[in-house]
Amino acid sequence: MAKTSPARACPVAAFQKMISGKYKLRIVWDLKDGPRRYGEIRSGLLRGTSGSAEVTPRVLSRELKALTMSGLIDRKDFGEVPPKVEYRLTRKGKSFVPVVAAIREWGERNLGEPVLTEAAE
């Protein structure tokens, strides 16, 4: 009988759990160009969508907190009034951008609807 190694989490399942959520991939994609404030991220999520409702503050906050906890993004609070908070990709988040780019390219080739490029917006 072959020896089995200690139980390890499936990397695919762990990855799926990390990126599950309606907006996480799009947030990472928007942050690839540099830091963004909450309102800029929210505006970016509404760009290029048709017929979808606006993202609620509660949902966006939950997605940002989850991405921060997973180590993909970093939250910087400037301690000002009114509040100024920026989000940026961590090293781990930057290493994830090519994965999101590959997903985007696959979608362009296989999903039938053209994806808007930044120049067309």
Side-chain angles (χ1 to χ4, degrees), residues 68-121:
T68 301
M69 290 184 68
S70 69
L72 292 176
I73 67 172
D74 183 44
R75 179 184 189 271
K76 182 177 180 182
D77 188 342
F78 289 85
E80 298 177 1
V81 176
K84 180 180 178 184
V85 177
E86 277 186 350
Y87 295 90
R88 68 184 67 231
L89 292 176
T90 61
R91 182 178 297 167
K92 182 178 177 181
K94 288 177 184 175
S95 73
F96 185 56
V97 169
V99 176
V100 181
I103 292 168
R104 183 176 189 271
E105 290 169 14
W106 184 91
E108 287 176 340
R109 286 190 314 268
N110 296 287
L111 297 180
E113 292 183 11
V115 176
L116 293 177
T117 61
E118 292 177 17
E121 293 175 349

Side-chain angles (χ1 to χ4, degrees), residues 2-101:
K3 287 186 175 182
T4 59
S5 60
R8 292 181 55 181
C10 171
V12 174
F15 175 79
Q16 183 179 14
K17 184 176 179 182
M18 182 181 74
I19 64 161
S20 66
K22 190 170 182 179
Y23 301 104
K24 287 180 185 169
L25 292 176
R26 292 175 55 199
I27 291 169
V28 169
W29 186 251
D30 277 353
L31 291 176
K32 76 183 183 329
D33 296 323
R36 300 248 193 270
R37 293 182 66 181
Y38 180 92
E40 294 171 316
I41 294 170
R42 187 167 185 267
S43 297
L45 293 175
L46 299 176
R47 184 178 61 238
T49 58
S50 59
S52 66
E54 289 190 17
V55 57
T56 64
R58 180 175 175 223
V59 170
L60 180 54
S61 292
R62 185 176 61 221
E63 297 282 79
L64 291 168
K65 285 178 186 173
L67 286 167
T68 301
M69 290 184 68
S70 69
L72 292 176
I73 67 172
D74 183 44
R75 179 184 189 271
K76 182 177 180 182
D77 188 342
F78 289 85
E80 298 177 1
V81 176
K84 180 180 178 184
V85 177
E86 277 186 350
Y87 295 90
R88 68 184 67 231
L89 292 176
T90 61
R91 182 178 297 167
K92 182 178 177 181
K94 288 177 184 175
S95 73
F96 185 56
V97 169
V99 176
V100 181

